[in-house]
Amino acid sequence: MSLETAWLGVLGLMLAGYFVLGGYDYGVQMLHPFLGGTREDQQAERSGQNPALDAIAPFFLGNEVWLVAFAGVMFGAFPHLEGNLLSGLYPLLVAILAGLVLGNAAVQLRRRSRGAGARRVWDALVVVGGAVPAVCWGLVVGLLLHGVPRRADGTFHVGYGEVFHPFVPACGATVLLLFAAHGAAFVAVRATEPELVARARQLGGRLIAVSAVAGLIALLLTLFGEGAHMTNKTTSVILAAAVFAAYGAAWWSLSTGNHVRAFVSTCLATALPVLLLGAGQYPYLLITKAGHGLHIDDAITDHETLKILSVFGVFIVPTILAYQAWSWWAFRGRTGRRHLSYF
């Protein structure tokens, strides 16, 4: 394996890790107003405690490390991709960052509010802070799969016509609903109260089904020539089939009450689109509708710089993985009204 391919794999690993870990954060944020309802839940809410949000609390800010790592790898190893991607997708990326800041602040400040009215405002901001990054990442994935226009000078530009092409909003809806279902599966794994687990399981099953329908619309648009533009057709078909298989496994597992298997399935469903982007369009990192674009050799830094980065990567990447494994082990206990509240 060449250094170029290895670093492309590291870039994909960072983004897939962020989708899996940040995805359930956004999902729980979007769903937390719908996961209460019992008298005990209402009593807990009056004290500021929310069992659904407590499920993500130990990992909340730590999951954003994967986004920082993704940006670091892109800046260091793929500087030409970074220049094209950030300039072309600037409005969506700004919206993602704004949603992250808003959601992080709202989650941590809601318990400090006085009165039910103020808490409802913070709750609404928590939902917005989860929904905005989720749908914007879906739009980004849709744009990259569909292909972005390339100017005469070689730069890429995304306009309103590309964002509102039917395929791109279909991808946005798919990811939004998938992240919500992913969050529901996570709550079902982490929570202790039977009522909360049952609500999360029911919501997750419905959301994964609707997300699959939105994904099917995107697939049909692709089959009729108005969807994704891939260079490796066979690989893309296999990976698309794997995504829908993960959907099916998640729905079946939620229906039968196997929460761990459901969460593993939603993890796969959130990670596989990143692999579809990388492997389905290889050797291009940004593709146009005509089937060509920014080649990996034009996007990556020089070989000597990659060698220097590899020395650091040998230590940094395992450290990130070890940190994530340790945090999951340290906070492996379930959460709920009878357990410690982190927020």
Side-chain angles (χ1 to χ4, degrees), residues 244-271:
F244 281 99
Y247 269 103
W251 181 84
W252 177 255
S253 300
L254 287 168
S255 300
T256 57
N258 193 323
H259 306 134
V260 174
R261 188 172 60 195
F263 180 63
V264 172
S265 299
T266 56
C267 285
L268 290 174
T270 52

Side-chain angles (χ1 to χ4, degrees), residues 27-338:
V28 174
Q29 286 178 239
M30 288 186 279
L31 294 182
H32 87 276
F34 309 103
L35 293 175
T38 67
R39 181 176 299 177
E40 289 182 328
D41 288 331
Q42 294 169 0
Q43 292 174 349
E45 279 292 326
R46 282 193 287 271
S47 67
Q49 184 180 357
N50 185 285
L53 291 178
D54 283 338
I56 64 172
F59 320 105
F60 188 55
L61 294 177
N63 289 340
E64 308 300 336
V65 170
W66 290 82
L67 179 59
V68 176
F70 168 73
V73 171
M74 186 169 59
F75 291 159
F78 299 90
H80 305 294
L81 172 64
E82 172 264 325
N84 282 285
L85 194 64
L86 292 189
S87 61
L89 300 175
Y90 183 77
L92 288 176
L93 296 177
V94 169
I96 289 171
L97 293 177
L100 286 175
V101 173
L102 178 65
N104 289 344
V107 167
Q108 297 179 77
L109 292 176
R110 64 179 295 279
R111 192 169 185 179
R112 293 167 175 80
S113 60
R114 297 181 178 179
R119 188 168 296 122
R120 281 194 293 270
V121 172
W122 285 116
D123 283 341
L125 294 177
V126 170
V127 174
V128 172
V132 169
V135 72
C136 286
W137 277 118
L139 294 175
V140 169
V141 170
L143 284 167
L144 296 180
L145 286 173
H146 183 58
V148 289
R150 193 173 192 180
R151 293 169 172 167
D153 60 359
T155 60
F156 291 84
H157 173 71
V158 175
Y160 289 105
E162 287 76 29
V163 174
F164 291 105
H165 185 280
F167 175 78
V168 178
C171 290
T174 300
V175 173
L176 175 72
L177 295 164
L178 174 58
F179 280 5
H182 188 37
F186 181 76
V187 171
V189 169
R190 289 274 291 170
T192 54
E193 285 75 14
E195 302 90 346
L196 177 59
V197 172
R199 285 193 297 274
R201 181 172 61 82
Q202 292 170 359
L203 267 175
R206 295 169 186 167
L207 288 165
I208 202 70
V210 179
S211 179
V213 171
L216 183 60
I217 293 172
L219 178 61
L220 291 174
L221 287 171
T222 299
L223 294 177
F224 287 100
E226 294 295 329
H229 294 85
M230 316 301 288
T231 56
N232 300 311
K233 305 291 187 183
T234 303
T235 302
S236 301
V237 169
I238 293 172
L239 291 174
V243 171
F244 281 99
Y247 269 103
W251 181 84
W252 177 255
S253 300
L254 287 168
S255 300
T256 57
N258 193 323
H259 306 134
V260 174
R261 188 172 60 195
F263 180 63
V264 172
S265 299
T266 56
C267 285
L268 290 174
T270 52
L272 282 171
V274 177
L275 185 58
L276 179 63
L277 267 174
Q281 296 184 344
Y282 187 84
Y284 297 103
L285 302 187
L286 285 177
I287 199 169
T288 66
K289 296 178 184 178
H292 53 78
L294 183 65
H295 196 278
I296 184 174
D297 293 337
D298 299 322
I300 204 164
T301 189
D302 61 273
H303 196 71
E304 293 303 318
T305 302
L306 282 183
K307 288 183 179 179
I308 297 173
L309 290 174
S310 298
V311 174
F312 293 97
V314 167
F315 296 98
I316 294 175
V317 174
T319 300
I320 294 175
L321 296 175
Y323 156 77
Q324 193 67 56
W326 174 85
S327 65
W328 273 71
W329 175 257
F331 298 101
R332 62 191 181 277
R334 291 177 175 264
T335 58
R337 291 185 295 268
R338 300 175 183 86

